[in-house]
Amino acid sequence: MLKISGDKILVEEKEDMMRYPVLSAGDNVDLFVDGNLIEKRAIVTGDSDIKYRIKDKDLSYSSSKTIDVEVTEDEMEAYLEIKIQPAKDYQVKLVEQKGVSVLVSSETSREYPEVKKSEILQAIQQAGIIYGIDQEVISSLVNTQENQRVLIAKGKEPKPGRTARIEPVNIREESNIEYFHKHIISVLPGQVIAVKKEATPGQKGTTVRGKTIRLSPPDDPEIILGDNVMSNPAGNKIIALEAGRPVIEHRKDSVKVSVIQQHRIEGDIDRDTGKISYSGDLIVTGSIQDFFGVNIEGILKVRKHINNAEIITGGDIYAGHNIIGANLKIGISSEKDDIIDELFNKNINIFIGTFEKMLNIYNEDREVVKIDRKFRTLISNSKKLSKIKSELISSCQQVLKNKRQENNPFKDSIKLLHQYLLGYKNYSKDSYAQLKEIANKIDNKLYRQQAFGKSNLAAGYIQNSEITASGDIYLFQQGVYTSTIKTAGNIIGNNKTSFFKGGTYNTGGWFAGGAVGAELGTTKIKVKAGFLAREIKENVIVVGPEDKMKFSAGSKNIYIKVNEDGRFESHSWPGWQNWIDDKVDQNIKRIWSKRSKF
């Protein structure tokens, strides 16, 4: 009853037809009856004008392709986009489905356009792509039958250079070496505290269109030398001139390096701070509490009290108020040891001096082997030099094996000296500079130790304490009660009423007090220069180098000097205030008087 003829469908209508055909369109087919597009179905007769159209007809008889290149805005990537439309042919037929004739189409053939490599390369060339092209990807796209969008070129990103850096070195980091024990970050004189790492230039980049991407030169901050530092001649090492806390301050276009000699603790030294070790000066605005001590290289200033603590300092101690139950060692550098001493320093200088003289005599020899052999022969032929060599080797071995010396900043220098002495390194013309540098380091170390030779104590009141000092001890308020004090300098109570009740006192100079002696027991005082007291309260024994005197309660205005023979000579009373003002270091008194501002 229905027949396909070209793009039309014909209806063969018979006279006895009792049912007219029902027609609908399948996928990819548009059906028109009497010029109207049929969306669902239509009943058709022999008079109906029935036509159909393949939806893909416009594309079905010819193939097409487009090849385009897309470049990102920064020109660092290029993408190739290929769109393919193959040529297609279709067959149309009628299929009966539940009493409805359905016009369906099926693809009978497909032909793809050819995608040539030359066409791809031409598109890339027209887009101006000349760098970072992926030839393997391009080859894989030849004669592709699918739409594609792939990365076919990638630029080279610029690689930034490294900014010049100022890096801290050789610094003992803060750490809990033991329970409640804190080492403040600190350095010693002569230590390298920072090194400049030079800037490194970056690498330029390239876009896919061949443009060069340049970077600004890396930052090279200026080094500003702050307090207590210097630089080496090359300007790439910062060296501490004083002991203290290193500070590296980074600014916009510069880095400032300093050493702060004073470290400040706001409040007390207690379980929150732990015991304190530090290479510079220390200021405590509160007190040093029970069982929490201090070990520093410099000056200690405590605004309030020192209570039942062990204190070791290289410099002066200023205690604003009381010292009770404490053990103080003043002028004792924690850097000081018994290994690197004056003998070590003397020996190394003799050793190096001899080596220098030998170099001057045999100046024409430039061979390392000859210089080494001549110097070792010179040592072996000299009893004095052989003994010095043995003593130096022994000292070096003590430093290198002693666990206490693990943090010794001179350990590497000692190790180098040890290698020369044992023959592990050959002596040469260059050796002199190395050995001289070692000697200078040792000499500076001993100088610093000797610089602590006169360190003083200034306090208001001392009770039940043990004190050893290398300088003077001044009491600016009440005095001392039952303590043991030994000092290389004077012990002086500044006020007329200053008392010394009981205890033992050993001075390398003068002892001066307002009221001396205690009700129970005898107060013992040893002097080398003399003794001054306004009043004796109870029994007092004063011992000189070659003499001894006893004083009983009630004695007043006592003034005795030690003569050249070490014996005592009595003198008339000199007047308290003038004598005291002459003996007291007024600078120390001035600093202590400002204790409330510590």
Side-chain angles (χ1 to χ4, degrees):
M1 293 178 55
L2 295 174
K3 181 181 178 181
I4 300 173
S5 177
D7 62 348
K8 293 184 177 182
I9 298 176
L10 304 177
V11 179
E12 296 181 0
E13 185 176 344
K14 297 179 180 181
E15 291 183 4
D16 59 349
M17 183 180 290
M18 298 302 293
R19 180 174 179 272
Y20 286 89
V22 179
L23 186 63
S24 71
D27 295 338
N28 201 35
V29 177
D30 288 332
L31 179 64
F32 299 90
V33 177
D34 298 329
N36 297 315
L37 176 66
I38 303 304
E39 296 290 343
K40 292 184 178 181
R41 63 184 67 174
I43 298 173
V44 295
T45 67
D47 296 328
S48 299
D49 180 17
I50 307 169
K51 293 182 179 181
Y52 71 88
R53 180 180 66 189
I54 304 299
K55 290 182 180 180
D56 285 344
K57 183 179 180 181
D58 293 339
L59 305 174
S60 61
Y61 300 111
S62 63
S63 63
S64 65
K65 66 187 175 188
T66 59
I67 301 175
D68 294 311
V69 175
E70 178 187 340
V71 181
T72 57
E73 186 176 353
D74 60 2
E75 296 189 1
M76 295 305 292
E77 292 179 340
Y79 292 86
L80 183 71
E81 187 170 16
I82 301 176
K83 292 183 179 180
I84 298 292
Q85 178 62 51
K88 301 176 184 179
D89 198 6
Y90 294 90
Q91 182 183 27
V92 180
K93 63 182 179 179
L94 290 167
V95 179
E96 291 294 323
Q97 295 180 359
K98 297 180 180 180
V100 177
S101 297
V102 180
L103 186 65
V104 298
S105 69
S106 60
E107 185 179 325
T108 58
S109 66
R110 178 177 292 194
E111 183 179 349
Y112 289 92
E114 183 181 6
V115 178
K116 299 178 181 179
K117 186 175 183 178
S118 59
E119 293 174 319
I120 297 174
L121 294 176
Q122 183 180 7
I124 292 172
Q125 183 180 8
Q126 288 175 347
I129 311 303
I130 61 173
Y131 181 85
I133 300 172
D134 192 331
Q135 295 293 340
E136 290 185 6
V137 172
I138 292 174
S139 297
S140 70
L141 295 174
V142 174
N143 290 329
T144 182
Q145 294 181 354
E146 296 179 357
N147 292 336
Q148 301 279 358
R149 188 179 188 277
V150 294
L151 179 68
I152 49 93
K154 189 172 184 179
K156 179 183 177 183
E157 294 285 351
K159 185 177 180 181
R162 188 179 66 181
T163 299
R165 306 186 310 280
I166 311 299
E167 296 182 348
V169 295
N170 234 2
I171 296 175
R172 181 176 61 191
E173 293 290 337
E174 177 180 306
S175 58
N176 290 325
I177 302 302
E178 58 184 74
Y179 194 49
F180 291 137
H181 194 163
K182 180 180 290 185
H183 289 274
I184 306 299
I185 298 173
S186 57
V187 294
L188 295 171
Q191 279 190 260
V192 176
I193 61 175
V195 172
K196 181 179 182 181
K197 301 292 184 180
E198 297 295 338
T200 55
Q203 297 178 3
K204 62 184 180 181
T206 307
T207 71
V208 294
R209 287 182 170 139
K211 296 178 182 178
T212 300
I213 304 173
R214 302 186 185 278
L215 295 174
S216 300
D219 293 337
D220 189 0
E222 176 189 4
I223 297 179
I224 298 176
L225 300 180
D227 295 335
N228 306 312
V229 297
M230 61 171 284
S231 67
N232 66 334
N236 61 348
K237 292 182 180 180
I238 311 302
I239 304 164
L241 294 174
E242 301 289 345
R245 179 167 59 89
V247 176
I248 299 178
E249 180 184 354
H250 293 271
R251 302 176 177 180
K252 183 178 180 181
D253 299 314
S254 63
V255 177
K256 183 177 181 180
V257 184
S258 309
V259 170
I260 298 175
Q261 290 183 269
Q262 290 186 338
H263 180 70
R264 188 177 186 88
I265 293 179
E266 299 292 342
D268 296 343
I269 291 180
D270 52 21
R271 65 182 296 117
D272 290 333
T273 63
K275 298 176 182 178
I276 299 296
S277 296
Y278 182 53
S279 295
D281 298 342
L282 179 65
I283 298 175
V284 182
T285 64
S287 298
I288 301 177
Q289 301 294 5
D290 293 359
F291 311 117
F292 290 93
V294 169
N295 188 334
I296 63 172
E297 300 290 343
I299 296 170
L300 173 63
K301 295 179 180 180
V302 181
R303 184 182 295 178
K304 296 180 181 178
H305 309 287
I306 298 176
N307 300 320
N308 197 24
E310 183 172 346
I311 310 293
I312 299 175
T313 69
D316 299 336
I317 293 180
Y318 295 88
H321 292 287
N322 302 333
I323 299 173
I324 299 177
N327 187 341
L328 276 58
K329 295 179 180 179
I330 307 161
I332 310 299
S333 168
S334 62
E335 180 189 348
K336 188 174 182 179
D337 56 61
D338 298 327
I339 300 173
I340 302 178
D341 54 13
E342 288 288 353
L343 177 60
F344 187 98
N345 191 41
K346 180 180 178 182
N347 283 342
I348 193 173
N349 278 290
I350 293 174
F351 196 76
I352 294 171
T354 304
F355 183 60
E356 182 183 17
K357 290 178 182 177
M358 191 211 71
L359 287 178
N360 292 333
I361 294 172
Y362 300 104
N363 190 45
E364 72 280 0
D365 283 333
R366 297 185 177 274
E367 294 183 25
V368 172
V369 175
K370 287 185 178 181
I371 293 175
D372 184 72
R373 186 186 303 120
K374 286 177 180 178
F375 189 50
R376 295 192 188 280
T377 301
L378 181 64
I379 294 170
S380 61
N381 291 336
S382 168
K383 291 182 178 180
K384 180 180 179 181
L385 289 176
S386 296
K387 182 181 178 182
I388 288 174
K389 176 185 173 183
S390 297
E391 290 174 348
L392 287 173
I393 290 174
S394 177
S395 296
C396 289
Q397 289 173 342
Q398 289 181 63
V399 171
L400 297 174
K401 292 180 180 179
N402 192 332
K403 289 186 177 180
R404 287 196 309 114
Q405 302 290 327
E406 287 181 357
N407 294 322
N408 192 323
F410 310 105
K411 191 172 182 178
D412 289 342
S413 297
I414 298 300
K415 184 177 181 180
L416 179 61
L417 174 62
H418 193 235
Q419 291 173 341
Y420 275 118
L421 293 169
L422 294 180
Y424 297 151
K425 290 184 73 67
N426 289 330
Y427 294 102
S428 65
K429 290 183 180 293
D430 295 334
S431 301
Y432 175 72
Q434 291 180 322
L435 293 170
K436 191 65 178 177
E437 183 180 1
I438 295 172
N440 289 337
K441 287 182 178 180
I442 302 304
D443 191 54
N444 290 336
K445 172 185 171 68
L446 292 173
Y447 174 80
R448 290 195 301 274
Q449 291 181 185
Q450 293 164 359
F452 295 121
K454 190 177 186 300
S455 296
N456 311 291
L457 169 65
Y461 172 69
I462 300 173
Q463 177 180 319
N464 297 333
S465 296
E466 291 188 14
I467 298 173
T468 302
S470 60
D472 298 330
I473 294 178
Y474 301 111
L475 285 306
F476 290 114
Q477 288 180 332
Q478 297 97 324
V480 181
Y481 181 74
T482 58
S483 294
T484 300
I485 299 177
K486 181 179 180 180
T487 179
N490 304 316
I491 298 176
I492 296 177
N494 185 69
N495 302 327
K496 292 180 180 180
T497 57
S498 59
F499 58 78
F500 291 82
K501 296 182 178 181
T504 302
Y505 307 90
N506 189 335
T507 83
W510 282 91
F511 180 98
V516 183
E519 294 180 0
L520 299 176
T522 301
T523 301
K524 298 178 182 179
I525 301 168
K526 187 174 181 179
V527 300
K528 287 187 178 180
F531 175 80
L532 179 80
R534 290 187 70 252
E535 182 180 3
I536 303 296
K537 292 293 185 180
E538 291 294 339
N539 294 333
V540 174
I541 297 177
V542 181
V543 179
E546 300 293 336
D547 206 349
K548 181 168 67 175
M549 295 182 70
K550 294 182 180 180
F551 299 94
S552 57
S555 301
K556 293 185 178 182
N557 296 337
I558 300 169
Y559 181 43
I560 56 176
K561 293 181 180 180
V562 177
N563 63 22
E564 293 180 356
D565 298 326
R567 303 191 65 82
F568 289 129
E569 291 181 352
S570 295
H571 291 261
S572 58
W573 184 249
W576 177 266
Q577 199 59 53
N578 289 337
W579 191 92
I580 290 294
D581 289 344
D582 182 61
K583 289 292 188 288
V584 172
D585 187 319
Q586 296 303 312
N587 185 54
I588 292 175
K589 184 176 181 180
R590 178 186 58 80
I591 294 172
W592 186 86
S593 68
K594 296 181 179 180
R595 59 197 179 279
S596 62
K597 296 182 180 180
F598 286 173

